Amino acid sequence: MASTMCVKIGRLGLRTSRLEVNQTWLRRAHTNQQGKENILKSYLQKVLDNPLPIGAGALVVGLVQWRRIRKRNEAQLEHEAPKVLDEKDWQVSCYKTLPLRHFSRLWGFVNDVYLPVWLRSTILGGYARAFGCDLSEAEDEEIKNYANLGQFFRRRLKASVRPISEEVLVSPCDGKVLHFGPVDVPTGLVEQVKGVTYSLNTFLGSYFASSPHTMPLNLEDPEAVVEDEAPRVLHQCILYLAPGDYHGFHSPVDWTIQKRRHFPGELLSVHPRVAGAISKLFQLNERVAYIGKWKHGFFSMTAVGATNVGSIKVPMDEELSTNQWKWEQRTFHQKIFQDVEVKKGEYFGEFNLGSTIVLIFEAPEDFQFDLEAGMPVKVGLPIIKPPVVKEDVTESKSA
């Protein structure tokens, strides 16, 4: 009887011990669960307190993923000749109905969202790594000093990293050569990429009827030249700025600005693949053309807007306001300058993201570009071949 009681007591003690162990484990599990819940609540509270920076981070991640997908698609379509679409084709019409202007304004809003210091290395650093931004060239190399994406996009460069060549014509921006060459003056057509054109008349706004204008003065007589002037040829050069490039643009020559024409328009992508697929792309998009003259005659530099690049800023032109809610089609807003002198290499303006610069200018017949399609360019580097120095035959014979 006594032994039976001992066994029962032992079993009861064992059950009690197991119960205590279970209770202890449950208390610990409950404590751990509470700790995890507190961490989760704290994180959610941070998200709720700072929704815009988190959203900006998500946007950067989305941009990186989009870039990877774009590269994959480009690799797949590398050997396929894309069909060139006209602005009247249904694909382009559908593309134009997208609220790209609103997207661009939203992107501009996100650009100005204040980023807490603890988020800047993640978001701005992630963007810099994804698009190959070289911070060692920036005046301020410390990424935590940029309060938002906009400040980072508009960062200035050290003067020493972009020396200005002594050649008369230099690159106005960092980017990639999209196309270059002479303009077909009789037809008034310009190639945006090889085989895909846009109208010079529409691009610069009644160009041949404006002043200053290029030669020939009379479209019906393309051989006509100005008396006592050496024959000149109209040239064009298109440079594409990618999202990772320096977003400022500079004066490519010493010239005199006489007018500005702002053309409200679409904000379609100007990526080289799109430029090769949609004709008249540059005359469809919003753009700001500065028109004047240089040592060889007519000169113009045009900043072309694009998706998420509705904002074009030019310090000397404070009245300029791009990407407005409402805009008139097939018109432009003109401002006349009193012969504003601009020096080669001088800072001119900026985009909020990558876009395109188009140079259209007169030059002597022996003018030659020192470029190749697709090659990278940097601000201040020469984009023409040095002039050939001709020997004086008379002097050499007498010698």
Side-chain angles (χ1 to χ4, degrees), residues 29 66 79 83 120 126 143 152 218 221 245 359 361 391 396:
W66 167 78
H79 302 293
K83 176 188 174 184
R120 293 175 189 175
I143 202 164
F152 181 70
N218 186 348
D221 183 10
D245 288 325
L359 304 178
F361 57 92
E391 283 189 40
S396 60

Side-chain angles (χ1 to χ4, degrees), residues 291-312:
I291 298 172
K293 59 185 179 181
W294 71 315
K295 62 186 294 184
H296 296 301
F298 175 86
F299 195 92
S300 71
M301 178 166 68
T302 304
V304 182
T307 307
N308 295 335
V309 197
S311 179
I312 301 171

Side-chain angles (χ1 to χ4, degrees), residues 351-370:
F351 294 107
N352 267 353
L353 201 61
S355 194
T356 301
I357 293 289
V358 179
L359 304 178
I360 297 177
F361 57 92
E362 285 181 305
E365 284 186 326
D366 59 353
F367 172 91
Q368 288 184 309
F369 283 106
D370 190 13

Side-chain angles (χ1 to χ4, degrees), residues 50 52-57 60 110-125 143-144 146-150 152:
N50 301 277
L52 292 177
I54 300 299
V60 170
V110 171
N111 281 351
D112 294 332
V113 170
Y114 175 80
L115 295 175
V117 177
W118 58 273
L119 261 180
R120 293 175 189 175
S121 295
T122 302
I123 294 178
L124 301 182
I143 202 164
K144 292 184 178 179
Y146 298 98
N148 51 49
L149 283 165
F152 181 70

Side-chain angles (χ1 to χ4, degrees), residues 241-293:
L241 291 74
D245 288 325
Y246 165 57
H247 293 354
F249 52 95
H250 297 240
S251 174
V253 294
D254 294 333
W255 61 308
T256 301
I257 299 175
Q258 296 174 317
K259 67 178 68 175
R260 176 261 290 159
R261 287 177 174 174
H262 170 214
F263 301 80
E266 307 291 344
L267 290 176
L268 309 180
S269 171
V270 293
H271 185 272
R273 182 163 292 278
V274 178
I278 302 177
S279 66
K280 306 176 184 176
L281 177 64
F282 294 150
Q283 73 183 57
L284 294 175
N285 271 15
E286 181 164 16
R287 58 201 179 278
V288 181
Y290 288 89
I291 298 172
K293 59 185 179 181

Side-chain angles (χ1 to χ4, degrees), residues 134-176:
D134 187 356
L135 281 174
S136 66
E137 295 183 337
E139 286 183 352
D140 189 348
E141 299 182 32
E142 181 51 61
I143 202 164
K144 292 184 178 179
N145 291 340
Y146 298 98
N148 51 49
L149 283 165
Q151 286 187 12
F152 181 70
F153 293 150
R154 297 187 295 270
R155 65 191 180 280
R156 293 292 186 92
L157 301 183
K158 300 170 185 172
S160 59
V161 302
R162 294 293 185 272
I164 307 302
S165 169
E166 294 183 0
E167 292 294 339
V168 294
L169 179 62
V170 300
S171 173
C173 60
D174 287 9
K176 182 170 68 174

Side-chain angles (χ1 to χ4, degrees), residues 329-343:
Q329 295 184 349
R330 303 183 182 280
T331 188
F332 61 84
H333 308 290
Q334 180 166 276
K335 177 180 179 180
I336 303 298
F337 291 98
Q338 298 299 319
D339 289 349
V340 177
E341 302 287 341
V342 184
K343 296 299 182 183

